Amino acid sequence: MKNSIGRFVFLFLFLILLFVFNSESQNKMLMPPCGGTVGPNNPGTTYTIAIGGSTSTWSDITNVASSDNAYATNTTDLAANGNYTDYLCTRNYGISIGLCDPNDITFGVEISSANASTIKDARVRLIVNGGIQTQCNHATNSAFWTTTDTYRNHVIPLPVYCGSLTKAIVESEYFGLALAVKRASAAGAAGTAKVDHMRLTVSWGAAPMCVPDGDDTCRVLTNLPVELTSFELFSTKRNQVDLEWTTISENNNDYFTIERSADGVNYTPVGTVDGAGNSMSMLQYKFTDVSAPAGENYYRLQQTDFDGQVTTSRLRWVWVKSDNDIFVTYSDDAKEATIHFLELPQVMPHIVFVNSMGQYVKVPINTEDMLDGHLKIDLSPLPAGVYYISVFDNTLKTSKPIVVSN
């Protein structure tokens, strides 16, 4: 009889513990703790991309997958001032950050050169969704390379890095790094840059729909009106942005309002999408903004309940192409015109200066002075007056009047 009672008590306690465990499991998801780091990670894909004006390509590019004293090198030495290499590209890093959003990105490049005193970074850029992010350059242009293998880290703090990186982008096989190297001096022997390894480290912040629970778990918030698991932007056409977002549950959700901003502070509604009301399954939403202005654009979602309550998502950032991907600015203080190329040209277009009399004016232009898609032209030798600068290839790209003062 006592044994039966003991077994009954044991079974009763076991069932209570099982119930408590299952209840806790409903509110937790096992995952790495928010706020940690992932990496360094090795690339799974390597390749090169030619850029206009480059004089040196890379060989043995698979050698950057690990630190093993085997190098990716230049097939043509960097022999003249201003010459630089094609992009050495790596992606498919195998990053996994659980449910959390990415925070800082650190790219480590193991570099060396026998002629280190002549070699500098030219461009260090992110590869996002398989394309090189040309509007931002994270290179360390002020420091020469070293003669022995040394890791040079390029830290890119988020979200202020020229874009919005989501968990889906960072974990994608199409996310990575593009590196180009420049010879910064004409003196001495020709330079040969060597890269032994390119690694990637990601830290992450708090998960968008969960909070740290004090241990290696993250408690999922179940009382939110909408559980938003992704919110991504894509701009592949001029003046157009495609927005995609996914929910895994909705409670009393009436509709979404898509808002756009030029500065990330002041927002204007650009459209609405009906919500599902109530749902416990994954739902995908899409919206296309067909009137996005060229340049930087920020977006956010506002979700409105049937009772009028509003919640707002985190902002996202995208660069939008214009009808004209070349534009000109002028600084009268510096007596300097700058031609901005939103996409690096494979062949340099013609650049012509005309005075107010319609006469061509000879202005020295050194295309090797182009840095990060910006070509500066010294206009200080010109007499005071009105000039027109035109940029064209087969068709006129842009034309701008400028006033040069004394």
Side-chain angles (χ1 to χ4, degrees), residues 292-352:
E296 296 181 344
N297 284 271
Y298 297 85
Y299 288 83
R300 69 184 184 186
L301 297 174
Q302 279 202 340
Q303 177 270 325
T304 302
D305 291 352
F306 286 111
D307 57 9
Q309 296 295 315
V310 175
T311 57
T312 304
S313 75
R314 297 181 181 182
L315 64 86
R316 291 289 185 256
W317 180 100
V318 69
W319 182 272
V320 180
K321 294 181 179 181
S322 65
D323 289 330
N324 191 344
D325 287 340
I326 301 174
F327 62 96
V328 178
T329 58
Y330 173 67
S331 169
D332 191 49
D333 292 335
K335 296 295 186 291
E336 185 178 72
T338 303
I339 302 176
H340 306 267
F341 297 89
L342 301 186
E343 293 182 352
L344 295 177
Q346 295 296 319
V347 178
M348 183 61 63
H350 300 288
I351 302 169
V352 174

Side-chain angles (χ1 to χ4, degrees), residues 55-74:
T55 60
S56 181
T57 58
W58 293 90
S59 63
D60 306 317
I61 57 177
T62 58
N63 290 334
V64 302
S66 62
S67 178
D68 57 4
N69 293 323
Y71 303 93
T73 58
N74 306 123

Side-chain angles (χ1 to χ4, degrees), residues 225-244:
V226 170
E227 293 192 54
L228 190 70
T229 60
S230 69
F231 176 28
E232 300 181 32
L233 311 179
F234 307 92
S235 181
T236 58
K237 297 181 180 179
R238 287 176 171 82
N239 302 109
Q240 178 172 310
V241 175
D242 296 312
L243 299 88
E244 299 180 2

Side-chain angles (χ1 to χ4, degrees), residues 201-246:
T201 303
V202 179
S203 65
W204 62 67
M209 290 301 169
C210 68
V211 294
D213 208 29
D215 52 21
D216 288 349
T217 61
C218 212
R219 187 176 76 254
V220 176
L221 303 179
T222 56
N223 60 344
L224 293 174
V226 170
E227 293 192 54
L228 190 70
T229 60
S230 69
F231 176 28
E232 300 181 32
L233 311 179
F234 307 92
S235 181
T236 58
K237 297 181 180 179
R238 287 176 171 82
N239 302 109
Q240 178 172 310
V241 175
D242 296 312
L243 299 88
E244 299 180 2
W245 64 98
T246 303

Side-chain angles (χ1 to χ4, degrees), residues 99-179:
L99 293 179
C100 300
D101 276 352
N103 196 356
D104 292 349
I105 306 291
T106 301
F107 286 111
V109 183
E110 190 175 5
I111 58 176
S112 64
S113 172
N115 309 99
S117 62
T118 67
I119 301 297
K120 285 185 177 181
D121 299 342
R123 297 165 186 162
V124 175
R125 288 181 162 131
L126 295 177
I127 297 173
V128 177
N129 296 324
I132 296 176
Q133 189 195 43
T134 57
Q135 67 267 27
C136 292
N137 182 8
H138 309 286
T140 307
N141 297 116
S142 60
F144 286 105
W145 282 29
T146 58
T147 55
T148 58
D149 285 8
T150 303
Y151 272 108
R152 172 169 290 179
N153 289 324
H154 305 272
V155 180
I156 304 169
L158 301 183
V160 187
Y161 87 108
C162 301
S164 176
L165 287 186
T166 64
K167 162 184 157 59
I169 290 176
V170 171
E171 292 184 337
S172 167
E173 65 176 298
Y174 301 105
F175 176 71
L177 170 70
L179 165 73

